[in-house]
Amino acid sequence: MNAIEVRDLVKDYGPFRAVKGISFEVREGEVFGLIGPNGAGKTTTLRVLATLLRVSSGSVHVFGKDLRKEPHEVRKIISYLPEDAGAYKNLTGREYLEFIARFFSTGKAADEMIRKGVEMASLEDRIDDRVDTYSKGMTRRLLVSRALMTDPKLTILDELTSGLDVINAQEIRRTVKDISERGTTVLLSSHNMLEVELMCDRIALINDGRIVELGTPSELKSKHGASNIEEVFTRVVTA
Amino acid sequence: MSSLTNIVRKEFRELLTKSTIIPVILMALMFGYLGSMMGGIEEDVTAPPVIGLVDMDDGLMSDIAFDTLNESAVIVYEGTDLNAGLEAVDGAGGAALIYLPSNFTSDILAGARGHVEVYWLMKGAGMLDSISSTAVEILLNSVSYSISAYLVDESSDTAPAVVLSPLERSETTIFHDMEMTGVSPDLLVSILSSQSFAVPFIIMMIIIMAGGMVISSMGMEKENKTLETLLTLPVSRSSIVSGKLLASALVGLVMAGIYMIGFNYYMTSLEMSAEVDLAQYGLDLGPADYILVGASVFVSLVAALSMCMVLGTYAKNYKSAQTLTMPISLLAIIPMFLTMFKDFSTLPTVLQVLLFAIPFSHPMMAMKELMFGNYAMVIGGIAYVAAFAAVMVAISVWIFNTDRLLTGSVKGAGLARFLPRLKSR
């Protein structure tokens, strides 16, 4: 079974069409990257898949569940990390993880989920400090652990490491890679082409609301005679 | 353009928005209307009071009283039948019936004080409802003065104390078909002041503070970028809406309790000690009445909070959330002023409709209405506010199920949906 099946997806914001009939599949356990210039429709696509925005037309299935008919069922098996997400500033890191865990589980199972989240966040003693005292990197680590501690079947990560330093970015990539190796399907978007090349099994290049290229990094590089994905990106977008 | 002008222009554009101007205009209109209402009250004060006179004496002193009253009042009844007099005054919308007993003249001429019975026909228990009774008080003072003048002119042997104050008075106030002997309208208004003043004030405070919390909560969710995460969790939209409403309602009630304690001390220090126990006239609240008051407060709070939730969906951040509390504040302040100064029954029809339509008016009026047995008004109000709250909750849940919460309104969205329909025809 495919983790995601998108068919002729259209998303309109009033008179403006942001996504113009895209289709793609993401296989179970795969790390799939959506890349494209600003305003291409990446975030809109991710938000639709995360059940935040309604489908204007077309169909989306997540692990066989129809997104339009069963959004609540879809929410039980996914986690979504928006690009500029925040956490509740008046809570401590641990309290924030507890708050999220209680939506997915109760009792010992919830406690185990929180323990896992605390471990993934690697915030040491600072996990018991209020979120508003965290640096950007610490907040992002907390949010990534929040997104992954629930063992989602699919995790949707928008600009995973945007604005982070190299060390923090590497740690977060490693965490995501670990979870994907344990079977979680990952759909991510990024402007960092190196990150995409390093992490993704397959990539879809989206431009002006349409998918213009789709394949493995090596397939795309070979097709365009490029030495890296950044070159592929530049050639496709400026063509 | 200088740097200063550049900054001033930028600040103007940022500060002078529709959302800051509209509430101010509404506030100005409200004060304008209150001003015209006050003007109307001034006319009431200057207009001659409408009264009736039952003269069982028909003697010299009652003639003086009649002449004095006739100079400054519209006497709609003059006769000897108390009930007919009361009906006539009530029918003419008058303020009082003055009853002079048969021994009025003989008592005064014998050196005793003349007895006057005043039957007040009270229309409302608001602070401004006792204005007409004040005009009648002035009239009675004039009668007293005229009789004093006569006694002085005649160089009678009457004791100076009686000459200076030749009248003694007993009062009966008729309000909502209840006869309260020994109670003047002023005293009644004073005793009911906690219902007239404290209750509307506390309700207004609860609504503004709890409502502000809901709107701010939505603004904070957007500003802190936590809303998107919340909406992708496996929790129904109705649970999110209900959770936010319930938490704010509970905090609102706690705050109301704190306010009530403080305000109670404040009012106790201001109130005159009540000389009459209104419970003997049935003017008290039983357990069932308190349940109705509680229900009225609860549904109004839910209505206010769900209305705030709808407004909160428009908040882009914490700052814009603060501006969005203005309409709610206005809707809480308007009924507070109206119910403080006038009873629902004594308001013009337009204001009655406005007051009934504003859901926050009902708990402000509930206690007083229940005291006077107006159950239909209170129960009808609860039903209306509950329906209003249900509609608002439904709208909130609907908005939470749409893209609007995250994307805001898109210009032309409505037109874009409408045009294809037109083209297809």
Side-chain angles (χ1 to χ4, degrees):
Chain A
M1 181 195 284
N2 282 326
I4 302 172
E5 284 178 6
V6 177
R7 289 277 169 274
D8 304 319
L9 173 65
V10 171
K11 178 60 197 171
D12 296 326
Y13 295 117
F16 174 68
R17 180 155 288 182
V19 177
K20 300 170 179 171
I22 62 170
S23 300
F24 64 94
E25 292 98 32
V26 178
R27 295 165 203 142
E28 201 171 343
E30 191 174 33
V31 179
F32 190 92
L34 264 185
I35 59 171
N38 291 330
K42 301 186 300 293
T43 297
T44 297
T45 305
L46 297 188
R47 282 176 150 200
V48 169
L49 283 162
T51 74
L52 283 171
L53 299 179
R54 292 198 293 186
V55 174
S56 299
S57 72
S59 71
V60 179
H61 286 82
V62 177
F63 285 95
K65 295 179 195 308
D66 188 335
L67 196 79
R68 298 176 94 163
K69 292 179 184 162
E70 306 171 276
H72 191 69
E73 291 304 310
V74 172
R75 284 180 202 123
K76 288 179 182 170
I77 54 171
I78 66 161
S79 71
Y80 173 56
L81 181 64
E83 178 184 359
D84 47 4
Y88 296 104
K89 291 179 175 174
N90 57 329
L91 300 181
T92 66
R94 190 188 299 278
E95 286 168 345
Y96 178 66
L97 295 177
E98 281 170 4
F99 170 71
I100 299 293
R102 305 287 172 217
F103 289 110
F104 291 89
S105 200
T106 53
K108 285 185 178 170
D111 293 342
E112 175 55 23
M113 200 178 274
I114 296 158
R115 189 202 58 74
K116 205 160 121 191
V118 170
E119 191 183 308
M120 269 195 269
S122 306
L123 290 169
E124 311 302 335
D125 293 345
R126 296 294 310 278
I127 194 73
D128 291 312
D129 288 346
R130 277 165 59 115
V131 170
D132 58 2
T133 64
Y134 289 0
S135 67
K136 190 171 181 179
M138 290 165 74
T139 306
R140 197 64 178 169
R141 287 218 298 272
L142 179 73
L143 291 167
V144 169
S145 63
R146 180 277 293 168
L148 302 180
M149 72 176 184
T150 57
D151 280 335
K153 290 178 87 172
L154 166 69
T155 184
I156 302 164
L157 309 167
D158 194 1
E159 296 297 340
L160 180 62
T161 57
S162 161
L164 297 184
D165 63 40
V166 176
I167 306 295
N168 272 309
Q170 273 183 346
E171 271 184 39
I172 285 174
R173 276 188 217 119
R174 203 175 301 127
T175 310
V176 173
K177 204 69 190 167
D178 285 350
I179 209 91
S180 115
E181 280 162 11
R182 291 206 290 272
T184 296
T185 306
V186 179
L187 172 64
L188 61 85
S189 84
S190 180
H191 284 299
N192 183 337
M193 295 301 128
L194 179 66
E195 179 172 282
V196 171
E197 201 170 340
L198 279 172
M199 294 186 69
C200 297
D201 300 314
R202 286 194 305 142
I203 298 165
L205 210 157
I206 187 166
N207 192 23
D208 191 26
R210 294 184 180 87
I211 289 181
V212 288
E213 278 296 357
L214 199 156
T216 65
S218 52
E219 280 171 358
L220 294 177
K221 282 190 284 186
S222 136
K223 182 179 174 183
H224 290 276
S227 57
N228 55 49
I229 291 297
E230 194 166 280
E231 273 183 44
V232 174
F233 179 89
T234 312
R235 283 176 196 176
V236 172
V237 170
T238 55
Chain B
M1 186 189 298
S2 73
S3 304
L4 177 67
T5 318
N6 202 15
I7 290 170
V8 169
R9 275 170 60 107
K10 190 275 276 178
E11 290 295 322
F12 258 116
R13 289 186 63 173
E14 204 171 287
L15 299 171
L16 223 56
T17 61
K18 270 189 282 183
S19 53
T20 54
I21 294 169
I22 291 170
V24 175
I25 293 172
L26 287 174
M27 190 75 98
L29 288 173
M30 190 191 79
F31 279 116
Y33 192 83
L34 279 177
S36 67
M37 202 174 94
M38 298 292 179
I41 289 155
E42 196 178 318
E43 281 168 23
D44 285 351
V45 176
T46 50
V50 175
I51 60 164
L53 180 68
V54 173
D55 185 0
M56 306 299 285
D57 179 56
D58 200 20
L60 176 63
M61 293 300 158
S62 66
D63 286 348
I64 293 172
F66 176 79
D67 291 344
T68 310
L69 293 171
N70 204 25
E71 274 176 29
S72 315
V74 176
I75 301 175
V76 292
Y77 178 83
E78 197 211 348
T80 54
D81 187 336
L82 179 64
N83 288 329
L86 286 171
E87 269 177 36
V89 176
D90 195 28
L97 178 82
I98 294 162
Y99 181 92
L100 303 177
S102 56
N103 54 349
F104 184 67
T105 300
S106 57
D107 279 356
I108 295 172
L109 293 177
R113 286 196 169 97
H115 188 77
V116 178
E117 284 180 44
V118 185
Y119 291 86
W120 298 102
L121 291 144
M122 204 174 159
K123 303 290 185 298
M127 287 176 178
L128 297 180
D129 286 318
S130 60
I131 293 281
S132 52
S133 66
T134 309
V136 177
E137 289 280 356
I138 295 166
L139 272 182
L140 289 168
N141 287 339
S142 300
V143 171
S144 176
Y145 181 81
S146 300
I147 293 171
S148 295
Y150 174 83
L151 293 173
V152 170
D153 278 351
E154 292 300 309
S155 306
S156 69
D157 298 332
T158 311
V162 176
V163 172
L164 288 172
S165 176
L167 299 181
E168 64 177 14
R169 192 202 303 179
S170 63
E171 295 173 298
T172 299
T173 295
I174 300 167
F175 186 36
H176 285 279
D177 297 329
M178 269 179 275
E179 270 194 40
M180 288 168 269
T181 309
V183 179
S184 69
D186 283 346
L187 182 63
L188 192 60
V189 167
S190 162
I191 294 168
L192 292 175
S193 63
S194 62
Q195 277 75 41
S196 306
F197 190 70
V199 174
F201 181 79
I202 289 166
I203 299 286
M204 179 207 67
M205 290 304 295
I206 301 171
I207 285 165
I208 291 177
M209 297 193 79
M213 278 190 290
V214 169
I215 297 179
S216 301
S217 158
M218 290 301 299
M220 293 286 277
E221 290 268 15
K222 288 189 181 178
E223 188 168 304
N224 293 336
K225 312 286 181 191
T226 49
L227 187 62
E228 288 186 37
T229 302
L230 188 63
L231 294 175
T232 57
L233 295 173
V235 55
S236 67
R237 303 306 202 235
S238 53
S239 295
I240 297 174
V241 171
S242 312
K244 282 184 177 291
L245 292 183
L246 192 62
S248 305
L250 289 173
V251 175
L253 288 174
V254 169
M255 288 193 308
I258 296 167
Y259 264 100
M260 222 173 271
I261 293 166
F263 209 83
N264 192 38
Y265 277 115
Y266 171 73
M267 289 305 293
T268 313
S269 63
L270 289 183
E271 270 172 21
M272 287 188 292
S273 59
E275 293 163 27
V276 238
D277 178 15
L278 291 181
Q280 64 179 299
Y281 304 109
L283 291 180
D284 60 346
L285 296 180
D289 297 328
Y290 279 110
I291 289 170
L292 284 174
V293 172
S296 182
V297 172
F298 179 74
V299 291
S300 288
L301 193 56
V302 173
L305 296 177
S306 46
M307 202 171 163
C308 288
M309 184 66 85
V310 173
L311 285 171
T313 61
Y314 288 83
K316 296 186 188 86
N317 48 39
Y318 188 72
K319 188 185 164 194
S320 71
Q322 298 307 304
T323 316
L324 285 166
T325 57
M326 280 298 283
I328 290 293
S329 304
L330 275 177
L331 287 178
I333 289 169
I334 292 171
M336 183 194 73
F337 275 122
L338 289 178
T339 53
M340 244 181 213
F341 293 122
K342 297 281 271 183
D343 263 9
F344 183 82
S345 56
T346 58
L347 284 169
T349 312
V350 178
L351 284 184
Q352 282 184 336
V353 172
L354 175 74
L355 199 59
F356 195 92
I358 297 173
F360 319 142
S361 311
H362 296 275
M364 295 180 182
M365 302 186 289
M367 279 180 100
K368 215 193 278 180
E369 295 295 338
L370 286 171
M371 269 189 169
F372 294 103
N374 199 351
Y375 285 90
M377 173 79 180
V378 176
I379 293 168
I382 291 171
Y384 163 70
V385 179
F388 183 92
V391 170
M392 283 295 148
V393 169
I395 292 173
S396 303
V397 173
W398 174 75
I399 291 175
F400 267 74
N401 276 309
T402 64
D403 297 352
R404 161 166 240 307
L405 198 59
L406 294 173
T407 59
S409 57
V410 179
K411 279 182 185 172
L415 192 64
R417 275 198 295 274
F418 187 60
L419 281 175
R421 282 183 223 163
L422 279 180
K423 283 176 189 166
S424 67
R425 283 177 190 174

